[in-house]
Amino acid sequence: MTLELVCPAGTPSALRAAVEAGADAVYCGFRDETNARNFPGLNFSAEELHEGIRFAHRHGVRVLVAINTFMRAGIADAAADPWKIALACAEDAGADAVILADLAVLDHAATHHPGLRLHLSVQAAAATPEAIGFYAEAFGVKRVVLPRVLSVEEIAVLNQAIAVETEAFVFGGLCPMTEGRCALSSYATGRSPNLDGVCSPPEHVDYAQAPEGTTARLAGFAIDRFAPTQLAGYPTLCKGSFVAGGKTSHLFEDPVSLNAAGLVARLAKAGVTALKIEGRQRGKGYVAEVVRTFRAVVEAVETGRDPVEAERRLSSLVEGGRQTSGAYRKQWR
Amino acid sequence: MTEREKGELPGFVRALTAPSRLLPLGLVLTLALRGLAKRRPALFDRLGEHARRSFVIEPSDMAFAFVMVPDGAHAEVRTVARGRAAGDVHVLGPLLALLGLLDGTFDGDALFFNRAITVSGRTDALLALRNAIEDAELRPSDLLGLEGRAGTLADASILRVVGTLQRLTGLQPDGMPS
């Protein structure tokens, strides 16, 4: 069985870096609120997507377009609806699939763009045969990106019970919440990844420097403080450090990154079709190094060669300087 | 952590670069940036509203800082003494790490996680600039306005010097000292 390596691209140059480093597929999004990485200076115009897809296809690489936020209610003019425009642009550009989460966007795609292959975003948080079966039956979804809350054993059982492909995250930032349902960013800033495409929108982030270290604030809330020599993480509330019960700790989740390189063989055995690397917000240096490393991991698994030292190779690229196998081993339950 | 451990320039290199503060660097970089905007206007589109913000880029191993407003044809760069620069965004780090960001050798988030650089001010403007630079795939010849053989030669020689210095200071692609 051949595992498909699905790699992130926040810019056209990152797309080229991913293709050249050995991606089988690249995922990206438009420069607006239709995708869950809607950060300043990031993402693709319609023209850049056309060019990116042409480049990828010349190299035999597929391009998946993430239109994975939830459609805003009350858009009177359908012709100006960003989600409908995004779907039409993706199809026009020759996207190999679109990654969707919202029922309305899925319905519109299935009805008006029947030629588009539909993947279900992790933002839909579909983790049961019933939920996945519904999306497959109602909209013809062909692949589900699995929420990062399942163990390898649970994925194996799930794959036996469903008729669509599964894609599992193997590297990058971890979301400890029920994805697509998290309201922490919205609570603090009024904007969320689900509706606006941004978790911890940067206009609300502030780093205050002082001799004792750096204080990270989100919308005025102090969420962490790093000593000058302490490794830092992203300014998200879920990975903030808080005082509760008289103790200071990372209450929800430590600032760590997922690295499931050591579990790739087991994920393949569990019936996973594709391995996903997180990080559309990262630079092409990160994209190239992580894709190269996971290409080597996949080849080592498929040919029975010695395992690749992925943790060592990628240790300095990760959030907080630490790596975890996350829920795949579920040591925390 | 010592300065050397943070990937800063060795003392003898700093001494060699010290006279550069006497050069009209601000004027040279202003003209280079405006020339770049003329040749590659799309590069500046990613900045959006943030093109008019002022970015203080402060190499921790140099005697001066740069204040840049990357406003396309109206772009401007000034050099000021370290510690005296004010702007909307402030980035502080070793010169070679900052240069690595410019050509995409280093990952900005990794530099931040590893504390190789510190940032303050408008995070949204900084992100826009980082992402615009990331996509630009800038080479020395782009800033110098050189094309053809001259550009190739300039890229090869300048990148060789920078690469040698990065190895000398122990900087890895993630911006961490080895």
Side-chain angles (χ1 to χ4, degrees):
Chain A
M1 180 187 174
T2 304
L3 286 164
E4 180 181 324
L5 200 53
V6 182
C7 307
T11 59
S13 72
L15 181 145
R16 291 190 290 275
V19 167
E20 284 160 4
D24 294 307
V26 177
Y27 66 103
C28 55
F30 290 111
R31 222 185 280 178
D32 58 26
E33 74 264 44
T34 62
N35 94 82
R37 285 285 183 270
N38 179 24
F39 290 102
L42 212 59
N43 299 313
F44 288 63
S45 66
E47 190 182 326
E48 287 169 341
L49 184 69
H50 268 91
E51 284 174 20
I53 289 176
R54 273 198 297 273
F55 176 85
H57 284 177
R58 273 203 306 276
H59 291 80
V61 173
R62 292 177 287 283
V63 176
L64 321 177
V65 179
I67 307 172
N68 59 344
T69 51
F70 292 79
M71 196 184 264
R72 197 175 347 114
I75 300 175
D77 181 5
D81 183 323
W83 288 267
K84 291 175 182 170
I85 293 170
L87 282 168
C89 279
E91 183 170 50
D92 186 47
D96 296 280
V98 286
I99 309 169
L100 314 178
D102 181 43
L103 288 171
V105 182
L106 280 156
D107 182 66
H108 183 84
T111 308
H112 297 279
H113 303 280
L116 271 177
R117 180 180 163 95
L118 307 187
H119 290 186
L120 191 66
S121 168
V122 68
Q123 285 284 94
T128 61
E130 291 79 7
I132 294 168
F134 166 75
Y135 285 107
E137 197 177 314
F139 307 115
V141 162
K142 296 286 191 290
R143 179 183 293 181
V144 176
V145 184
L146 295 173
R148 286 163 276 192
V149 294
L150 299 167
S151 67
V152 177
E153 292 78 11
E154 287 167 338
I155 292 171
V157 171
L158 181 67
N159 272 328
Q160 293 291 322
I162 60 176
V164 299
E165 299 170 355
T166 50
E167 182 173 306
F169 278 97
V170 287
F171 192 83
L174 264 181
C175 220
M177 304 300 169
T178 302
E179 289 168 87
R181 316 281 198 271
C182 178
L184 278 177
S185 175
S186 184
Y187 174 77
T189 71
R191 299 180 76 207
S192 74
N194 313 323
L195 300 177
D196 308 282
V198 277
C199 180
S200 295
E203 69 273 20
H204 289 281
V205 174
D206 176 63
Y207 295 104
Q209 309 295 344
E212 63 273 21
T214 303
T215 300
R217 285 196 179 81
L218 183 67
F221 296 104
I223 58 173
D224 215 339
R225 186 166 291 135
F226 311 106
T229 55
Q230 191 184 352
L231 297 174
Y234 283 120
T236 56
L237 276 170
C238 59
K239 292 178 183 174
S241 185
F242 303 101
V243 181
K247 280 170 59 180
T248 304
S249 67
H250 291 104
L251 206 54
F252 302 109
E253 165 83 351
D254 289 333
V256 298
S257 285
L258 175 70
N259 188 345
L263 295 169
V264 166
R266 288 182 57 204
L267 287 168
K269 207 172 166 191
V272 166
T273 299
L275 306 176
K276 185 167 206 149
I277 294 167
E278 187 275 344
R280 279 191 285 149
Q281 74 284 12
R282 302 292 296 264
K284 55 187 174 289
Y286 164 97
V287 169
E289 187 56 33
V290 178
V291 175
R292 263 197 303 269
T293 300
F294 271 87
R295 170 52 57 208
V297 168
V298 168
E299 284 177 3
V301 166
E302 290 179 347
T303 58
R305 286 206 305 268
D306 289 342
V308 174
E309 289 182 305
E311 284 198 16
R312 184 186 55 78
R313 278 172 67 162
L314 302 175
S315 62
S316 50
L317 289 171
V318 298
E319 183 180 8
R322 293 166 59 200
Q323 302 173 64
T324 174
S325 56
Y328 291 133
R329 286 203 170 101
K330 275 207 177 149
Q331 290 161 329
W332 40 266
R333 181 176 274 183
Chain B
M1 194 181 276
T2 67
E3 289 187 345
R4 183 70 181 82
E5 282 171 334
K6 284 192 287 183
E8 294 184 332
L9 290 168
F12 78 92
V13 180
R14 288 190 208 201
L16 286 173
T17 57
S20 60
R21 86 182 95 172
L22 302 174
L23 299 171
L25 274 180
L27 179 65
V28 171
L29 290 170
T30 295
L31 293 174
L33 212 53
R34 289 181 182 181
L36 186 65
K38 207 170 175 182
R39 291 189 303 278
R40 296 178 60 187
L43 195 160
F44 293 78
D45 288 350
R46 285 189 178 273
L47 289 168
E49 61 182 297
H50 302 297
R52 291 190 194 90
R53 307 246 187 248
S54 53
F55 298 80
V56 178
I57 318 286
E58 188 169 339
S60 55
D61 40 8
M62 303 291 276
F64 52 87
F66 301 95
V67 182
M68 174 184 71
V69 180
D71 191 12
H74 308 289
E76 192 183 339
V77 183
R78 288 183 293 121
T79 53
V80 292
R82 274 197 64 197
R84 290 193 190 165
D88 298 313
V89 183
H90 197 138
V91 188
L92 171 71
L95 176 71
L96 294 172
L98 298 172
L99 287 175
L101 277 178
L102 204 61
D103 72 358
T105 314
F106 296 158
D107 177 80
D109 286 7
L111 289 174
F112 172 75
F113 294 153
N114 294 318
R115 313 303 299 280
I117 59 170
T118 57
V119 301
S120 57
R122 297 281 307 230
T123 309
D124 49 352
L126 180 63
L127 261 189
L129 179 69
R130 194 281 301 262
N131 291 328
I133 288 173
E134 263 292 328
D135 191 48
E137 300 188 307
L138 286 176
R139 302 182 72 78
S141 55
D142 292 315
L143 280 170
L144 296 169
L146 297 174
E147 290 176 352
R149 191 167 161 72
T152 310
L153 273 173
D155 288 340
S157 47
I158 293 171
L159 291 175
R160 191 178 304 128
V161 171
V162 171
T164 304
L165 287 171
Q166 284 168 341
R167 277 193 299 281
L168 205 63
T169 58
L171 276 172
Q172 301 176 92
D174 45 61
M176 276 295 281
S178 57

